[in-house]
Amino acid sequence: EDQVTQSPEALRLQEGESSSLNCSYTVSGLRGLFWYRQDPGKGPEFLFTLYSAGEEKEKERLKATLTKKESFLHITAPKPEDSATYLCAVLGGSEKLVFGKGTKLTVNP
Amino acid sequence: SAVISQKPSRDICQRGTSLTIQCQVDSQVTMMFWYRQQPGQSLTLIATANQGSEATYESGFVIDKFPISRPNLTFSTLTVSNMSPEDSSIYLCSLRGEGTSTDTQYFGPGTRLTVL
């Protein structure tokens, strides 16, 4: 059974204080690992797809990396508008997207 | 990526009633999905709805409770039947990308349902 574990559950940062979110996964036949951002009461917003170990993708202050067992979402010099819940999900041979419980990020000004 | 819209965006309903949620996409897609997100929880897949075939439900979800229609490649509905307070959740429509991004899933804005 595919599984995704995200840590920490919640993270508080000061504006400008860089950090990383972790996503550990087990999956049969990885087809892709996905990062989403979700604001309260809204649907998840797609950020990145990673397909193979060693792959990296960047978007503004966010950088996602992938190994064979985990993915990291690095946040550089975050701003208060980066506050959201960040979701990690994997798609494997089951054809079903499996989500972690998310990391709630709060960035204080 | 395709633009996904849902109606209604939110609703407050009485127990025992039913609500139909609509999902409209601005392009034709093969695979559509319905998810539930209970308060403070992550997303749980309810069913997969492909045009021209019966929806496939996940364990714990049944057609009598969550009937789904998929009349064409741009539209789907999810009905939450005989509602109870435990059905209070955000319901999300999702599609899988076509063409070069066939594995990436995109989500609608969600329908926030409160059952009293």
Side-chain angles (χ1 to χ4, degrees), chain B residues 35-47:
Chain B
Y35 287 79
R36 180 175 75 180
Q37 187 174 30
Q38 295 177 301
Q41 302 298 312
S42 193
L43 281 73
T44 301
L45 179 63
I46 297 172

Side-chain angles (χ1 to χ4, degrees), chain A residues 35-77:
Chain A
W35 283 97
Y36 294 87
R37 169 191 171 128
Q38 186 173 30
D39 293 302
K42 303 289 181 61
E45 174 190 348
F46 170 71
L47 294 173
F48 303 110
T49 304
L50 301 168
Y51 292 103
S52 58
E55 189 174 1
E56 299 182 351
K57 288 194 176 172
E58 288 189 66
K59 179 180 180 180
E60 297 181 354
R61 295 177 292 281
L62 300 177
K63 179 180 177 180
T65 62
L66 181 65
T67 73
K68 289 185 177 180
K69 294 184 178 181
E70 57 192 350
S71 177
F72 293 93
L73 185 66
H74 307 279
I75 303 177
T76 302

Side-chain angles (χ1 to χ4, degrees), chain B residues 5 8 10 13 21 32 40 49 52 58 61 64 66 68 71 73 80-81 89 92-94 101 110 112-113:
Chain B
S5 59
R10 59 175 60 214
C13 301
I21 302 168
M32 292 181 74
E58 296 302 302
F61 297 95
D64 290 346
F66 298 101
I68 288 171
L73 291 173
V80 186
S81 303
S89 296
L92 295 152
C93 170
S94 174
S101 61
R112 180 186 287 269
L113 171 62

Side-chain angles (χ1 to χ4, degrees), chain A residues 4 6 23 32-36 87-91 97-100:
Chain A
V4 176
Q6 292 187 246
C23 170
L33 183 140
F34 307 88
W35 283 97
Y36 294 87
L87 298 170
C88 174
V90 294
L91 180 67
L97 200 59
V98 175
F99 281 86

Side-chain angles (χ1 to χ4, degrees), chain B residues 9-73:
Chain B
S9 59
R10 59 175 60 214
D11 207 342
I12 300 173
C13 301
Q14 297 297 319
R15 71 168 65 212
T17 63
S18 297
L19 176 72
T20 295
I21 302 168
Q22 298 179 8
C23 177
Q24 180 75 53
V25 185
D26 69 346
S27 60
Q28 294 184 338
V29 295
T30 303
M31 301 182 74
M32 292 181 74
F33 308 86
W34 286 98
Y35 287 79
R36 180 175 75 180
Q37 187 174 30
Q38 295 177 301
Q41 302 298 312
S42 193
L43 281 73
T44 301
L45 179 63
I46 297 172
T48 301
N50 293 331
Q51 196 268 337
S53 61
E54 295 290 323
T56 303
Y57 289 83
E58 296 302 302
S59 176
F61 297 95
V62 295
I63 187 171
D64 290 346
K65 175 69 175 176
F66 298 101
I68 288 171
S69 77
R70 182 80 201 275
N72 57 53
L73 291 173

